[in-house]
Amino acid sequence: MSEYIQTLSSTEPRARKEHDCDACIWLRDYISEIDAGVLTWGEKRTIVLARQVNWKIQKGQVHIHQRNIMDGHFYTWRAIPAIHEICIKYNLYPDL
């Protein structure tokens, strides 16, 4: 069974309500693998701000909203753009 993800749509709307940030899940799980010395001041600030709001996308916050399909299953993925960029930069997502 392959684990190929196909993105059907991707937008950056303002949240109408609070949502879990899917990128924050990866960041929380793998932050210990990032050498704190390599994080920029801005990245550290972004992480602190996300932690302060319980790793949630806040109402009114612009976020990434994707509708994806993987192995025949549809799902929605949401992320704070700055956290998503940190995950990409430090290769925290799995290679699918």
Side-chain angles (χ1 to χ4, degrees):
M1 190 154 92
S2 78
E3 291 191 1
Y4 174 74
I5 298 172
Q6 180 183 1
T7 300
L8 303 174
S9 68
S10 184
T11 60
E12 291 196 14
R14 290 198 178 274
R16 290 181 286 182
K17 63 179 187 174
E18 185 177 88
H19 296 283
D20 289 331
C21 172
D22 295 314
C24 288
I25 294 168
W26 291 99
L27 182 62
R28 281 188 325 218
D29 288 349
Y30 295 103
I31 196 163
S32 62
E33 294 181 17
I34 301 173
D35 177 9
V38 301
L39 290 169
T40 67
W41 184 88
E43 291 168 342
K44 290 176 185 177
R45 184 175 184 275
T46 297
I47 293 167
V48 167
L49 292 173
R51 185 180 294 144
Q52 286 177 343
V53 294
N54 261 351
W55 309 102
K56 304 273 187 189
I57 297 165
Q58 299 300 296
K59 182 178 180 180
Q61 185 176 14
V62 173
H63 66 288
I64 300 167
H65 179 264
Q66 290 183 348
R67 297 202 187 271
N68 299 321
I69 186 169
M70 183 171 73
D71 294 330
H73 299 282
F74 292 93
Y75 67 95
T76 299
W77 185 85
R78 292 181 175 91
I80 299 167
I83 298 294
H84 175 61
E85 290 302 319
I86 292 169
C87 290
I88 290 171
K89 181 177 177 181
Y90 297 102
N91 201 27
L92 301 183
Y93 295 133
D95 294 328
L96 297 178

